[in-house]
Amino acid sequence: ATSNIMITMNLLKPSLLLLISSTSVHSFTTTPSPLVSVPRTTKKTVDLARPTTSKTTSTSLAVGTEIVEPSYNLALGSLALGAAFGVPGSPLKSKLSAFLGGIPLTLFGLFLAFQTTTLRFTLDDDNFSLVKSNLESTGENVVVGGENVWSYKSFVNYDVFPSRNFPILIYFKETQTPEDQWNIGPGEQANSEEALAKGAVRGQVHFFPAIGNTEQLIGGFEKHDCAKLDL
């Protein structure tokens, strides 16, 4: 019996040694693996962060692009009028004026302040553009589609309403937009037979609130020889 046990032990000895050896190797290779993976993970994080930072700070503006300075005059004027109609003690204040004038003008002033803060006009060598304050694209025009970038060569008219000295709306008309969009909104009247008889030129009409330095903007239009009608 003893000899049988010894024979069995001798036969199992290589298997036991192999099992012990495998267990020792497994423990050796897995124990330090977290120490090795830490620098690898850190390196990947740094490598991935670098292109993200570079992409965020980069801009696609053309060389020589002029950014029109924002103007809060229109927003402040609307807020002042809203306060005049709604502030207690104001000679213009009443329940009717507060609802018909004070509240709408105050909300409109806040909206203009937001637009002035978040949007910018730019002028490069070839185009006039409306972009976000971080100089990224504003996407497609909400009315007629297409990016808010217009070639100076497509201008057929521009103006400031009610006047250059008291700017509220910036107006321009262009032919870059597809012709089937020209009569949308105010374009129907601007391209009517009556308007054309008075000297108007067909095109797509645009109106923007004067949320930028109007003199700088009109000066840019003049500098780049944008077409203007004397009507």
Side-chain angles (χ1 to χ4, degrees):
T2 303
S3 61
N4 289 336
I5 293 173
M6 292 299 296
I7 291 172
T8 303
M9 291 296 294
N10 288 332
L11 291 173
L12 292 175
K13 188 174 180 180
S15 299
L16 291 172
L17 289 174
L18 182 61
L19 178 61
I20 294 171
S21 176
S22 299
T23 304
S24 300
V25 172
H26 177 72
S27 301
F28 179 78
T29 55
T30 55
T31 301
S33 60
L35 298 177
V36 176
S37 64
V38 171
R40 288 179 181 172
T41 305
T42 304
K43 184 176 180 181
K44 287 182 181 179
T45 303
V46 173
D47 289 342
L48 289 173
R50 284 177 181 169
T52 304
T53 304
S54 175
K55 183 178 180 180
T56 303
T57 56
S58 64
T59 60
S60 57
L61 289 179
V63 176
T65 297
E66 181 179 2
I67 303 171
V68 177
E69 297 175 358
S71 173
Y72 287 88
N73 292 343
L74 191 58
L76 293 175
S78 297
L79 289 172
L81 284 174
F85 282 107
V87 172
S90 169
L92 300 176
K93 183 184 181 300
S94 67
K95 289 184 178 180
L96 185 62
S97 68
F99 281 100
L100 296 181
I103 294 176
L105 284 169
T106 299
L107 292 176
F108 184 59
L110 292 173
F111 169 74
L112 289 174
F114 174 77
Q115 294 286 75
T116 306
T117 302
T118 58
L119 298 175
R120 293 290 182 273
F121 297 122
T122 64
L123 302 158
D124 63 25
D125 290 339
D126 302 305
N127 303 303
F128 163 62
S129 306
L130 176 68
V131 299
K132 296 179 181 179
S133 58
N134 61 3
L135 307 182
E136 292 181 356
S137 170
T138 53
E140 287 199 355
N141 188 286
V142 295
V143 179
V144 296
E147 195 171 6
N148 292 310
V149 179
W150 301 276
S151 168
Y152 301 127
K153 295 179 179 179
S154 71
F155 276 46
V156 295
N157 196 19
Y158 66 88
D159 212 337
V160 180
F161 295 109
S163 71
R164 190 164 174 173
N165 294 326
F166 188 63
I168 293 179
L169 287 175
I170 297 165
Y171 153 84
F172 73 97
K173 199 174 189 181
E174 45 81 15
T175 57
Q176 177 177 298
T177 301
E179 188 173 351
D180 60 351
Q181 305 290 322
W182 289 359
N183 289 338
I184 293 177
E188 184 175 0
Q189 182 177 353
N191 294 311
S192 66
E193 294 297 329
E194 182 181 355
L196 296 176
K198 293 180 180 179
V201 178
R202 285 175 50 78
Q204 175 63 49
V205 174
H206 298 273
F207 288 97
F208 292 113
I211 58 175
N213 185 316
T214 308
E215 286 301 309
Q216 185 181 1
L217 183 59
I218 298 302
F221 290 166
E222 293 172 343
K223 174 184 175 182
H224 295 287
D225 297 321
C226 293
K228 188 178 188 314
L229 299 175
D230 294 323
L231 301 177

